[in-house]
mmCIF file of all heavy atoms in Angstrom:
data_model
loop_
_atom_site.group_PDB
_atom_site.id
_atom_site.type_symbol
_atom_site.label_atom_id
_atom_site.label_comp_id
_atom_site.label_asym_id
_atom_site.label_seq_id
_atom_site.Cartn_x
_atom_site.Cartn_y
_atom_site.Cartn_z
ATOM 1 N N TYR A 906 -11.738 0.022 17.855
ATOM 2 C CA TYR A 906 -11.730 -0.924 18.956
ATOM 3 C C TYR A 906 -12.393 -0.267 20.126
ATOM 4 O O TYR A 906 -12.980 0.808 20.038
ATOM 5 C CB TYR A 906 -10.294 -1.417 19.277
ATOM 6 C CG TYR A 906 -10.258 -2.677 20.182
ATOM 7 C CD1 TYR A 906 -10.853 -3.860 19.688
ATOM 8 C CD2 TYR A 906 -9.687 -2.616 21.390
ATOM 9 C CE1 TYR A 906 -10.885 -4.990 20.528
ATOM 10 C CE2 TYR A 906 -9.631 -3.755 22.234
ATOM 11 C CZ TYR A 906 -10.260 -4.985 21.761
ATOM 12 O OH TYR A 906 -10.236 -6.020 22.493
ATOM 13 N N PHE A 907 -12.192 -0.837 21.262
ATOM 14 C CA PHE A 907 -12.749 -0.244 22.507
ATOM 15 C C PHE A 907 -11.587 0.449 23.226
ATOM 16 O O PHE A 907 -10.393 0.364 22.875
ATOM 17 C CB PHE A 907 -13.312 -1.389 23.450
ATOM 18 C CG PHE A 907 -14.402 -2.158 22.635
ATOM 19 C CD1 PHE A 907 -14.095 -3.511 22.178
ATOM 20 C CD2 PHE A 907 -15.624 -1.600 22.382
ATOM 21 C CE1 PHE A 907 -15.018 -4.169 21.514
ATOM 22 C CE2 PHE A 907 -16.602 -2.373 21.657
ATOM 23 C CZ PHE A 907 -16.236 -3.638 21.250
ATOM 24 N N GLY A 911 -6.556 -5.036 24.827
ATOM 25 C CA GLY A 911 -7.321 -6.152 24.257
ATOM 26 C C GLY A 911 -6.675 -6.693 22.987
ATOM 27 O O GLY A 911 -5.499 -6.958 22.993
ATOM 28 N N ARG A 912 -7.549 -6.967 21.943
ATOM 29 C CA ARG A 912 -7.044 -7.521 20.714
ATOM 30 C C ARG A 912 -6.578 -6.542 19.721
ATOM 31 O O ARG A 912 -6.148 -6.909 18.639
ATOM 32 C CB ARG A 912 -8.186 -8.417 20.084
ATOM 33 C CG ARG A 912 -8.674 -9.572 20.930
ATOM 34 C CD ARG A 912 -9.741 -10.343 20.195
ATOM 35 N NE ARG A 912 -10.379 -11.318 21.016
ATOM 36 C CZ ARG A 912 -10.135 -12.605 20.950
ATOM 37 N NH1 ARG A 912 -9.223 -13.078 20.086
ATOM 38 N NH2 ARG A 912 -10.726 -13.457 21.708
ATOM 39 N N ALA A 913 -6.521 -5.240 20.120
ATOM 40 C CA ALA A 913 -6.088 -4.239 19.153
ATOM 41 C C ALA A 913 -4.658 -3.736 19.451
ATOM 42 O O ALA A 913 -4.034 -3.147 18.583
ATOM 43 C CB ALA A 913 -7.052 -3.083 19.202
ATOM 44 N N ILE A 916 -1.765 -4.444 17.140
ATOM 45 C CA ILE A 916 -1.832 -3.795 15.869
ATOM 46 C C ILE A 916 -1.366 -2.311 16.037
ATOM 47 O O ILE A 916 -0.619 -1.785 15.273
ATOM 48 C CB ILE A 916 -3.291 -3.851 15.353
ATOM 49 C CG1 ILE A 916 -3.760 -5.290 15.228
ATOM 50 C CG2 ILE A 916 -3.418 -3.021 13.995
ATOM 51 C CD1 ILE A 916 -5.314 -5.404 15.039
ATOM 52 N N TRP A 937 -20.745 1.558 20.332
ATOM 53 C CA TRP A 937 -20.660 0.164 19.827
ATOM 54 C C TRP A 937 -21.978 -0.364 19.519
ATOM 55 O O TRP A 937 -22.199 -1.026 18.450
ATOM 56 C CB TRP A 937 -19.831 -0.712 20.801
ATOM 57 C CG TRP A 937 -19.739 -2.105 20.422
ATOM 58 C CD1 TRP A 937 -20.155 -3.212 21.139
ATOM 59 C CD2 TRP A 937 -19.267 -2.638 19.123
ATOM 60 N NE1 TRP A 937 -19.919 -4.387 20.355
ATOM 61 C CE2 TRP A 937 -19.436 -4.061 19.137
ATOM 62 C CE3 TRP A 937 -18.768 -2.031 18.014
ATOM 63 C CZ2 TRP A 937 -19.035 -4.840 18.052
ATOM 64 C CZ3 TRP A 937 -18.430 -2.879 16.880
ATOM 65 C CH2 TRP A 937 -18.619 -4.239 16.936
ATOM 66 N N LYS A 941 -22.117 -1.904 15.784
ATOM 67 C CA LYS A 941 -21.961 -3.326 15.701
ATOM 68 C C LYS A 941 -22.455 -3.956 14.328
ATOM 69 O O LYS A 941 -21.739 -4.673 13.661
ATOM 70 C CB LYS A 941 -22.676 -4.046 16.908
ATOM 71 C CG LYS A 941 -22.334 -5.504 16.989
ATOM 72 C CD LYS A 941 -22.934 -6.043 18.276
ATOM 73 C CE LYS A 941 -22.998 -7.582 18.279
ATOM 74 N NZ LYS A 941 -21.717 -8.211 18.639
ATOM 75 N N LEU A 946 -18.112 -8.783 10.920
ATOM 76 C CA LEU A 946 -18.435 -9.942 11.792
ATOM 77 C C LEU A 946 -19.105 -9.468 13.104
ATOM 78 O O LEU A 946 -19.197 -10.297 13.978
ATOM 79 C CB LEU A 946 -17.137 -10.795 12.113
ATOM 80 C CG LEU A 946 -16.392 -11.357 10.904
ATOM 81 C CD1 LEU A 946 -15.115 -12.001 11.373
ATOM 82 C CD2 LEU A 946 -17.238 -12.321 10.118
ATOM 83 N N GLY A 947 -19.424 -8.277 13.133
ATOM 84 C CA GLY A 947 -20.221 -7.801 14.378
ATOM 85 C C GLY A 947 -19.220 -7.698 15.599
ATOM 86 O O GLY A 947 -19.643 -7.701 16.698
ATOM 87 N N GLN A 948 -17.912 -7.697 15.344
ATOM 88 C CA GLN A 948 -16.893 -7.678 16.396
ATOM 89 C C GLN A 948 -15.822 -6.726 16.042
ATOM 90 O O GLN A 948 -15.658 -6.329 14.919
ATOM 91 C CB GLN A 948 -16.381 -9.105 16.593
ATOM 92 C CG GLN A 948 -17.317 -10.047 17.281
ATOM 93 C CD GLN A 948 -16.708 -11.348 17.765
ATOM 94 O OE1 GLN A 948 -15.907 -11.944 16.993
ATOM 95 N NE2 GLN A 948 -16.993 -11.799 18.918
ATOM 96 N N LEU A 949 -14.991 -6.406 17.080
ATOM 97 C CA LEU A 949 -13.837 -5.589 16.909
ATOM 98 C C LEU A 949 -12.654 -6.332 17.384
ATOM 99 O O LEU A 949 -12.803 -7.224 18.272
ATOM 100 C CB LEU A 949 -13.990 -4.238 17.736
ATOM 101 C CG LEU A 949 -15.174 -3.309 17.270
ATOM 102 C CD1 LEU A 949 -15.198 -2.086 18.087
ATOM 103 C CD2 LEU A 949 -15.045 -3.036 15.760
ATOM 104 N N PRO A 950 -11.388 -5.988 16.991
ATOM 105 C CA PRO A 950 -11.022 -4.888 16.207
ATOM 106 C C PRO A 950 -11.481 -5.023 14.670
ATOM 107 O O PRO A 950 -11.561 -6.165 14.164
ATOM 108 C CB PRO A 950 -9.559 -4.858 16.257
ATOM 109 C CG PRO A 950 -9.124 -6.231 16.540
ATOM 110 C CD PRO A 950 -10.249 -6.827 17.355
ATOM 111 N N VAL A 951 -11.650 -3.880 14.044
ATOM 112 C CA VAL A 951 -11.815 -3.788 12.618
ATOM 113 C C VAL A 951 -10.908 -2.699 12.085
ATOM 114 O O VAL A 951 -10.753 -1.606 12.772
ATOM 115 C CB VAL A 951 -13.285 -3.451 12.250
ATOM 116 C CG1 VAL A 951 -13.450 -2.822 10.876
ATOM 117 C CG2 VAL A 951 -14.151 -4.644 12.343
ATOM 118 N N PRO A 960 -11.966 -7.432 9.411
ATOM 119 C CA PRO A 960 -11.960 -7.928 10.795
ATOM 120 C C PRO A 960 -10.848 -8.855 11.020
ATOM 121 O O PRO A 960 -10.028 -9.101 10.145
ATOM 122 C CB PRO A 960 -13.272 -8.686 10.913
ATOM 123 C CG PRO A 960 -13.403 -9.227 9.535
ATOM 124 C CD PRO A 960 -12.729 -8.261 8.515
ATOM 125 N N GLN A 961 -10.776 -9.460 12.173
ATOM 126 C CA GLN A 961 -9.843 -10.536 12.663
ATOM 127 C C GLN A 961 -8.452 -9.959 13.083
ATOM 128 O O GLN A 961 -7.597 -9.681 12.170
ATOM 129 C CB GLN A 961 -9.643 -11.629 11.679
ATOM 130 C CG GLN A 961 -10.906 -12.567 11.608
ATOM 131 C CD GLN A 961 -11.338 -13.300 12.892
ATOM 132 O OE1 GLN A 961 -10.704 -13.127 13.918
ATOM 133 N NE2 GLN A 961 -12.278 -14.171 12.769
ATOM 134 N N SER A 962 -8.260 -9.840 14.415
ATOM 135 C CA SER A 962 -7.124 -9.149 14.885
ATOM 136 C C SER A 962 -5.756 -9.738 14.409
ATOM 137 O O SER A 962 -4.889 -8.973 14.006
ATOM 138 C CB SER A 962 -7.071 -9.152 16.386
ATOM 139 O OG SER A 962 -7.178 -10.456 16.924
ATOM 140 N N ALA A 963 -5.547 -11.074 14.319
ATOM 141 C CA ALA A 963 -4.358 -11.616 14.000
ATOM 142 C C ALA A 963 -4.082 -11.359 12.497
ATOM 143 O O ALA A 963 -2.859 -11.078 12.086
ATOM 144 C CB ALA A 963 -4.275 -13.156 14.257
ATOM 145 N N SER A 964 -5.105 -11.516 11.685
ATOM 146 C CA SER A 964 -4.869 -11.256 10.264
ATOM 147 C C SER A 964 -4.565 -9.788 10.043
ATOM 148 O O SER A 964 -3.715 -9.424 9.194
ATOM 149 C CB SER A 964 -6.191 -11.583 9.460
ATOM 150 O OG SER A 964 -6.477 -12.916 9.628
ATOM 151 N N LEU A 965 -5.171 -8.905 10.796
ATOM 152 C CA LEU A 965 -4.933 -7.485 10.630
ATOM 153 C C LEU A 965 -3.463 -7.190 11.021
ATOM 154 O O LEU A 965 -2.771 -6.454 10.292
ATOM 155 C CB LEU A 965 -5.847 -6.589 11.551
ATOM 156 C CG LEU A 965 -7.354 -6.773 11.234
ATOM 157 C CD1 LEU A 965 -8.186 -6.010 12.253
ATOM 158 C CD2 LEU A 965 -7.663 -6.278 9.836
ATOM 159 N N GLN A 994 -0.704 -16.892 20.666
ATOM 160 C CA GLN A 994 -2.159 -16.718 20.462
ATOM 161 C C GLN A 994 -2.968 -17.817 21.266
ATOM 162 O O GLN A 994 -4.080 -17.584 21.754
ATOM 163 C CB GLN A 994 -2.607 -16.753 18.980
ATOM 164 C CG GLN A 994 -2.284 -15.406 18.300
ATOM 165 C CD GLN A 994 -3.120 -14.279 18.748
ATOM 166 O OE1 GLN A 994 -2.826 -13.727 19.773
ATOM 167 N NE2 GLN A 994 -4.047 -13.812 17.896
ATOM 168 N N GLU A 998 -5.885 -16.834 23.813
ATOM 169 C CA GLU A 998 -7.280 -17.285 23.713
ATOM 170 C C GLU A 998 -7.592 -18.036 25.056
ATOM 171 O O GLU A 998 -8.761 -17.791 25.512
ATOM 172 C CB GLU A 998 -7.450 -18.239 22.542
ATOM 173 C CG GLU A 998 -7.324 -17.584 21.156
ATOM 174 C CD GLU A 998 -8.303 -16.445 20.959
ATOM 175 O OE1 GLU A 998 -9.465 -16.363 21.611
ATOM 176 O OE2 GLU A 998 -7.982 -15.557 20.216
ATOM 177 N N TYR A 1001 -8.181 -15.175 27.603
ATOM 178 C CA TYR A 1001 -9.480 -14.449 27.369
ATOM 179 C C TYR A 1001 -10.683 -15.350 27.890
ATOM 180 O O TYR A 1001 -11.600 -14.835 28.579
ATOM 181 C CB TYR A 1001 -9.756 -14.176 25.904
ATOM 182 C CG TYR A 1001 -8.842 -13.102 25.273
ATOM 183 C CD1 TYR A 1001 -8.236 -13.262 24.108
ATOM 184 C CD2 TYR A 1001 -8.620 -11.855 25.958
ATOM 185 C CE1 TYR A 1001 -7.375 -12.301 23.510
ATOM 186 C CE2 TYR A 1001 -7.799 -10.951 25.457
ATOM 187 C CZ TYR A 1001 -7.238 -11.122 24.192
ATOM 188 O OH TYR A 1001 -6.452 -10.164 23.701
ATOM 189 N N HIS A 1006 -14.683 -14.867 29.923
ATOM 190 C CA HIS A 1006 -15.937 -15.561 29.432
ATOM 191 C C HIS A 1006 -16.562 -16.548 30.287
ATOM 192 O O HIS A 1006 -17.750 -16.830 30.193
ATOM 193 C CB HIS A 1006 -15.531 -16.189 28.031
ATOM 194 C CG HIS A 1006 -15.138 -15.213 26.990
ATOM 195 N ND1 HIS A 1006 -15.988 -14.110 26.714
ATOM 196 C CD2 HIS A 1006 -14.084 -15.056 26.194
ATOM 197 C CE1 HIS A 1006 -15.367 -13.359 25.767
ATOM 198 N NE2 HIS A 1006 -14.241 -13.942 25.475
ATOM 199 N N PHE A 1103 -7.629 -3.731 30.800
ATOM 200 C CA PHE A 1103 -7.370 -4.909 29.933
ATOM 201 C C PHE A 1103 -6.718 -4.521 28.735
ATOM 202 O O PHE A 1103 -6.635 -3.305 28.341
ATOM 203 C CB PHE A 1103 -8.678 -5.726 29.665
ATOM 204 C CG PHE A 1103 -9.649 -5.000 28.801
ATOM 205 C CD1 PHE A 1103 -9.676 -5.129 27.427
ATOM 206 C CD2 PHE A 1103 -10.596 -4.087 29.474
ATOM 207 C CE1 PHE A 1103 -10.576 -4.411 26.722
ATOM 208 C CE2 PHE A 1103 -11.519 -3.415 28.642
ATOM 209 C CZ PHE A 1103 -11.526 -3.553 27.258
HETATM 210 N N1 GSH B 2053 -11.364 -13.692 16.449
HETATM 211 C C1 GSH B 2053 -11.664 -12.207 16.642
HETATM 212 C C2 GSH B 2053 -12.465 -12.017 17.930
HETATM 213 C C3 GSH B 2053 -12.945 -10.670 18.156
HETATM 214 C C4 GSH B 2053 -13.692 -10.492 19.446
HETATM 215 O O1 GSH B 2053 -13.919 -11.463 20.187
HETATM 216 N N2 GSH B 2053 -13.924 -9.257 19.689
HETATM 217 C C5 GSH B 2053 -14.605 -8.826 20.967
HETATM 218 C C6 GSH B 2053 -13.743 -7.860 21.730
HETATM 219 S S1 GSH B 2053 -12.178 -8.498 22.193
HETATM 220 C C7 GSH B 2053 -15.883 -8.025 20.626
HETATM 221 O O2 GSH B 2053 -15.967 -7.454 19.534
HETATM 222 N N3 GSH B 2053 -16.858 -8.039 21.495
HETATM 223 C C8 GSH B 2053 -18.026 -7.187 21.379
HETATM 224 C C9 GSH B 2053 -19.189 -7.914 20.785
HETATM 225 O O3 GSH B 2053 -19.028 -9.111 20.388
HETATM 226 O O4 GSH B 2053 -20.217 -7.262 20.691
HETATM 227 C C10 GSH B 2053 -10.428 -11.375 16.560
HETATM 228 O O5 GSH B 2053 -9.390 -11.849 17.015
HETATM 229 O O6 GSH B 2053 -10.508 -10.243 16.119
#
Side-chain angles (χ1 to χ4, degrees):
Y906 197 59
F907 306 105
R912 295 179 190 261
I916 305 167
W937 176 234
K941 187 173 166 81
L946 298 176
Q948 288 192 312
L949 296 180
V951 159
Q961 288 296 7
S962 58
S964 300
L965 298 175
Q994 286 290 74
E998 292 304 333
Y1001 289 135
H1006 297 308
F1103 65 93

